[in-house]
Amino acid sequence: MSPHLSLQRAEAEARRALLDVTSYDVTLDLAAEDTTFRSVTRVRFTSRGGATFADLKPAAVASIHLNGSPIDVDLLDRGRLPLDTVAGENELVVDATMRFRNDGEGLHRSVDPADGRHYVYGMSFMDAAPSVFACFDQPDLKAPYTLHVTAPTDWHVFANAAGAQVEPGRWEFEESAPLSTYFVTVVAGPYHLIEDVHDGIPLGLSARASIAADLDKDADEILTVTRQSFDEFHRLFGIRYAFGKYHQAFVPEFNAGAMENPGCVTFRDPLVFTSRVTRGLRIQRATTIAHEMAHQWFGNLVTPVWWDDLWLNESFAEYLGNRVTADVTEYADTWADMSYARRQWGLVADQGPSTHPVAGNGATDAVSALQDFDGISYTKGSAILRQLSSSVGDDVFFRGVVDHFTRHRFGNATLHDLVDAWERAGAGDLAGFAGAWLLTAGPDRLELDRAAGVLRRTPPADHPADRSHSFRVAVASGGSWRTETVQVDGPETAYAPEGDAVLLDPYDDTWAVTIPDPATIAALPSLLPAIEDGHLRAGVWNGLRNAFQNAAVSPADVIDIAVASFPVEDTEDHTRRTRVWLYSRVLPLAPEGSVERLHDAVLGKLATLPEGSEWQLAGFRAAVATSADPAELRGFLTAPPAGIEVDRDLRWRVLVRLASLGAIDRPELTAAFDAAPSAEARVELTRALCSLPDATAKEYAWSVFTGETDLPNYDVVAAGAGLWRAGQEELTRPYVDRYFVELPATAKVRSGWVLADAAEAFFPATSISEDTLAKALALADDPELDGPLRRRLTDAADALRRQLAVKAAFPA
């Protein structure tokens, strides 16, 4: 079957000029435990008259009628249904059978390993809506929706609008506010439900039945953050939430952190904590709640006309979600944690070959636009909005925002519309600001030249711009730190601070790649242990990561600093955060014995940390990750340090590490899963089985990559992580060439989010060689390669190129 066509921007503009959509009426039958479901869509729309097309991606079609006349179902071609509309009112009715999916898109169906119960949720984002219902799938053709759903009688069903079970198994929903197609969702299953009301807004929480006790335990915190965020957004905007009820559904195998569907926000359900977690993950959940709520205004009330203005959604939600969390919840340290969690995500993307402007990113079609939902659209855009708010003041900033909401309520808008609103509010002429910061890609590089007594600003060669920077500098003298404010308006600024160490922009006041000078790097092993300012410590590590990214610090120096003060304060170990960067990027290039040095340092640090503290938990996780001693690891399971309880998360961390060392067999791993089956344990079992250092494990992992073994999205990524393990390079060598040969064909078995994620997860990360880089660049240049694959391959090749640059710069 031919692949589905991706909507081109020019096609969307032509269709929008022809049509106005009046309403959707969608009936879904989810009652049968099957691989498919029935979907009946009735779309009413007005047309100027002429040919166009609707979007539809079915398993089969029973009938199609336009204005009462049948349409030959064989006319459907690669997801497009040709229509010959008449001037005036039109009605399209499609009766189709659709496939449930297991990749986190469309209508995703999941089976909980804990109890065998089935769960369904809709993710219509970007181009997945036509796999659920027939539609005109583009963001600027909004319309209200009425849904009718049949489901098993013991299921709850939620959607964008309020609904009720009118008879056993049959649910009817009120007409929604006008929505873009990508916001439409249905969440259905035997979910555990919690309900509340705040300020007249009905609130709901739901999660799988097997984690009901965990949701009950977390509900007070989740609802408190929800209430606080609603109150603050109402205060900031002066505009009430516009979508009736507010349900937050925690759903399985969700790709993103969350999706802002009006009235029914979906979250990845690992955000319901089934094991002990750190403050970093609690901050992540709180900021995600506030982020999705910000979208109810930025994105939902006013939606971009096209995907090149996706920053109008994500940058604003990122900035205001973090700001609101820091200002009104218990997580006042949010900005420091976000510096660890998000800063490098944006800076690395902005320095890479696939960098793009924050706004006006040139997305010509919907599928390629998905790849620009990256650290630039989130983190860089947020940083620039924070600068703008600081520059013009909150009064002007929010007056412009409210004007924007009021003029485009339930409609669509562009960057130009928002800039006009700010200028009307008194921000002055923003053309220069928008051009330099929002419409020009790449970050400036800031470095201190102590010998010359100047601070140098270097714009990216491929994206020159004249940007001013105002930021704080932290200077250490005699073991104490002071801050100074610096203004940089040209290529060189006279600046000669006296001190042992100088950290440029450690508090993230501007957006730039700051490189610590050699004297500062040399001083950090003695200075870092005494730093108590959490954000300043984050600034140290961001500076080091910037330097490593640009081959300006040796792996040996980084390890020395980590040994002197291991970063347990960055409590989480997500792939973007400091500890995983140390393990995956620095250690492979570090001198022999560095893993052992780091492990000894972790154990020493662990002995000094308060029992039961989050830093102790972070330290214990690091001890597991760096241990090469099976007896020590098994000892962690049977006799952990006082203050550590070996829960499901920690147990599987140890089991996965044992698997990577070849110190556990398959029967013991499967027995551990069978003893306590859960969705989380199934993913970790996949990771462990693929981590084993034998041919069978790697063949199994590869079968997941090619699609021969069909696993859900989380398991696919876990299999990729397990395949490429440090110390197994000889075993995995044959898969390096196979990756480049077989990657293109994965576009035939996957699409969208998981297609790109699998390409990244299975990239041969442990093959740090010029030959691997050459193969990656050659394939990326193939014009036939699928766009999402090219994007992830290009980014992975750039990361490899930079590792090789470090290797060349510091051969010892």
Side-chain angles (χ1 to χ4, degrees):
M1 182 179 179
S2 300
H4 297 125
L5 295 173
S6 180
L7 181 67
Q8 303 295 303
R9 179 172 188 161
E11 294 173 322
E13 290 171 345
R15 189 161 63 175
R16 179 66 188 90
L18 184 70
L19 305 180
D20 290 294
V21 182
T22 306
S23 66
Y24 284 88
D25 187 281
V26 179
T27 300
L28 303 175
D29 187 349
L30 313 179
E33 285 193 7
D34 200 352
T35 58
T36 60
F37 61 96
R38 186 184 181 199
S39 170
V40 179
T41 308
R42 185 183 304 272
V43 191
R44 293 187 174 92
F45 60 96
T46 60
S47 172
R48 261 61 79 186
T52 187
F53 60 91
D55 300 292
L56 179 64
K57 302 174 182 177
V61 178
S63 64
I64 305 173
H65 290 81
L66 178 63
N67 300 324
S69 299
I71 293 179
D72 185 352
V73 298
D74 290 335
L75 292 175
L76 182 65
D77 179 30
R78 290 175 291 177
R80 294 187 174 183
L81 176 65
L83 300 175
D84 188 12
T85 69
V86 299
E89 299 291 331
N90 290 258
E91 182 180 77
L92 173 67
V93 181
V94 177
D95 187 344
T97 299
M98 305 293 202
R99 291 184 182 86
F100 285 113
R101 296 169 65 169
N102 71 345
D103 61 357
E105 299 187 63
L107 209 55
H108 180 103
R109 188 165 193 139
S110 173
V111 179
D112 189 343
D115 55 18
R117 304 180 86 175
H118 289 239
Y119 293 88
V120 170
Y121 65 84
M123 178 60 163
S124 298
F125 179 70
M126 195 58 78
D127 68 343
S131 66
V132 182
F133 58 96
C135 57
F136 300 107
D137 190 24
Q138 61 190 72
D140 60 345
L141 283 174
K142 287 185 167 184
Y145 287 74
T146 303
L147 268 62
H148 321 270
V149 179
T150 302
T153 56
D154 62 334
W155 282 20
H156 286 290
V157 182
F158 314 101
N160 301 94
Q165 186 171 205
V166 295
E167 61 183 58
R170 188 166 71 84
W171 294 75
E172 296 290 334
F173 292 86
E174 299 173 6
E175 184 178 76
S176 74
L179 306 176
S180 297
T181 47
Y182 77 93
F183 291 137
V184 178
T185 193
V186 171
V187 176
Y191 285 98
H192 176 59
L193 174 64
I194 296 172
E195 294 180 299
D196 195 15
V197 177
H198 176 67
D199 193 20
I201 302 168
L203 305 178
L205 304 174
S206 59
R208 287 176 288 128
S210 66
I211 58 173
D214 301 295
L215 181 63
D216 288 343
K217 172 173 55 69
D218 285 359
D220 182 63
E221 180 177 330
I222 294 170
L223 289 171
T224 296
V225 172
T226 301
R227 297 182 197 106
Q228 291 168 329
S229 298
F230 260 129
D231 290 347
E232 181 67 356
F233 282 121
H234 285 152
R235 185 189 72 81
L236 291 172
F237 299 147
I239 296 174
R240 293 279 299 176
Y241 168 69
F243 298 97
K245 54 117 179 153
Y246 194 72
H247 187 81
Q248 296 176 101
F250 294 85
V251 298
E253 300 164 355
F254 196 74
N255 286 315
M259 179 65 198
E260 65 268 20
N261 315 302
C264 189
V265 179
T266 42
F267 294 81
R268 60 190 302 128
D269 70 5
L271 289 176
V272 175
F273 305 139
T274 58
S275 293
R276 185 182 170 203
V277 300
T278 67
R279 185 174 181 84
L281 192 54
R282 290 191 180 277
I283 289 174
Q284 178 186 331
R285 182 171 69 185
T287 56
T288 303
I289 290 169
H291 178 114
E292 302 310 316
M293 192 178 292
H295 273 312
Q296 306 307 312
W297 290 265
F298 281 107
N300 297 4
L301 189 64
V302 181
T303 308
V305 170
W306 182 246
W307 303 114
D308 63 336
D309 272 327
L310 63 89
W311 80 282
L312 289 170
N313 290 11
E314 301 305 342
S315 299
F316 271 96
E318 181 86 355
Y319 167 52
L320 289 171
N322 294 342
R323 172 176 167 160
V324 166
T325 304
D327 287 353
V328 303
T329 77
E330 66 180 283
Y331 299 112
D333 53 336
T334 289
W335 288 114
D337 192 75
M338 288 297 106
S339 189
Y340 280 120
R342 310 285 267 191
R343 184 78 169 176
Q344 288 298 315
W345 182 35
L347 284 171
V348 168
D350 208 19
Q351 294 172 80
S354 54
T355 185
H356 56 85
V358 173
N361 57 41
T364 58
D365 68 279
V367 170
S368 64
L370 175 61
Q371 302 312 308
D372 287 337
F373 277 70
D374 58 13
I376 296 170
S377 298
Y378 285 74
T379 309
K380 180 180 181 179
S382 167
I384 292 168
L385 290 174
R386 193 179 181 193
Q387 290 174 227
L388 178 63
S389 178
S390 176
S391 174
V392 304
D394 267 3
D395 182 59
V396 168
F397 184 84
F398 284 107
R399 193 160 63 240
V401 165
V402 170
D403 178 20
H404 183 70
F405 292 154
T406 304
R407 288 172 182 265
H408 305 285
R409 184 179 176 87
F410 292 124
N412 300 82
T414 65
L415 165 65
H416 178 76
D417 294 322
L418 181 59
V419 170
D420 280 354
W422 274 325
E423 290 179 346
R424 285 192 299 270
D429 185 355
L430 293 178
F433 175 87
W437 288 102
L438 296 174
L439 297 172
T440 303
D444 291 342
R445 178 166 167 161
L446 299 175
E447 296 174 275
L448 177 64
D449 184 335
R450 293 206 193 202
V454 296
L455 202 162
R456 290 198 172 91
R457 181 200 71 185
T458 307
D462 295 339
H463 308 283
D466 183 12
R467 288 179 281 242
S468 295
H469 299 266
S470 178
F471 54 89
R472 284 168 286 176
V473 176
V475 181
S477 298
S480 63
W481 291 83
R482 68 182 188 275
T483 57
E484 303 171 353
T485 299
V486 174
Q487 180 71 33
V488 175
D489 294 317
E492 291 190 350
T493 300
Y495 186 57
E498 294 185 4
D500 303 316
V502 180
L503 295 174
L504 305 178
D505 192 33
Y507 297 103
D508 308 329
D509 297 318
T510 191
W511 184 258
V513 174
T514 54
I515 307 291
D517 65 276
T520 296
I521 291 171
L524 284 174
S526 61
L527 291 172
L528 183 56
I531 297 177
E532 297 182 354
D533 180 337
H535 208 149
L536 182 57
R537 291 184 67 92
V540 169
W541 285 107
N542 277 321
L544 289 170
R545 294 181 68 174
N546 289 338
F548 191 84
Q549 181 78 356
N550 290 279
V553 64
S554 73
D557 283 340
V558 175
I559 295 299
D560 285 347
I561 294 166
V563 166
S565 186
F566 191 81
V568 291
E569 72 280 358
D570 184 6
T571 54
E572 274 307 301
D573 49 10
H574 183 277
T575 53
R576 296 181 190 134
R577 299 185 77 136
T578 311
R579 300 205 307 276
V580 174
W581 168 76
L582 282 170
Y583 308 151
S584 63
R585 309 293 297 168
V586 180
L587 278 176
L589 305 180
E592 187 175 348
S594 292
V595 176
E596 293 78 8
R597 287 185 64 210
L598 206 58
H599 183 63
D600 289 344
V602 168
L603 292 179
K605 183 88 170 182
L606 190 58
T608 70
L609 298 171
E611 292 182 8
S613 68
E614 294 185 0
W615 285 16
Q616 185 199 30
L617 177 59
F620 183 73
R621 290 175 176 177
V624 171
T626 55
S627 177
D629 182 352
E632 179 183 54
L633 288 163
R634 290 191 179 276
F636 286 158
L637 290 177
T638 57
I644 296 293
E645 178 182 346
V646 180
D647 55 20
R648 179 164 54 204
D649 174 71
L650 290 179
R651 179 172 299 278
W652 276 103
R653 285 173 184 265
V654 173
L655 296 177
V656 168
R657 183 62 179 159
L658 286 168
S660 70
L661 296 172
I664 191 171
D665 59 20
R666 289 175 179 81
E668 186 176 353
L669 290 170
T670 54
F673 173 78
D674 291 341
S678 70
E680 299 88 343
R682 187 200 64 214
V683 173
E684 295 310 313
L685 176 63
T686 298
R687 192 188 315 275
L689 292 173
C690 295
S691 297
L692 290 166
D694 60 51
T696 300
K698 304 314 174 186
E699 289 166 5
Y700 174 66
W702 199 253
S703 75
V704 175
F705 177 58
T706 61
E708 178 186 351
T709 298
D710 184 23
L711 295 181
N713 45 347
Y714 286 13
D715 297 68
V716 170
V717 174
L723 173 61
W724 304 105
R725 288 294 185 184
Q728 300 179 5
E729 288 80 6
E730 286 301 316
L731 181 62
T732 56
R733 189 180 305 280
Y735 294 99
V736 176
D737 285 348
R738 290 185 67 181
Y739 175 83
F740 298 111
V741 171
E742 299 179 44
L743 175 66
T746 62
K748 297 178 180 178
V749 296
R750 299 189 183 95
S751 63
W753 217 300
V754 73
L755 171 66
D757 284 352
E760 180 178 337
F762 281 87
F763 183 85
T766 58
S767 181
I768 306 172
S769 72
E770 294 288 352
D771 182 63
T772 300
L773 177 60
K775 288 181 170 66
L777 294 175
L779 180 56
D781 283 340
D782 183 350
E784 298 301 315
L785 187 66
D786 187 86
L789 297 180
R790 178 180 296 105
R791 171 63 180 271
R792 295 299 178 94
L793 183 60
T794 298
D795 289 346
D798 186 60
L800 175 57
R801 178 185 67 80
R802 290 175 182 274
Q803 278 189 297
L804 290 168
V806 172
K807 194 174 181 180
F810 305 100

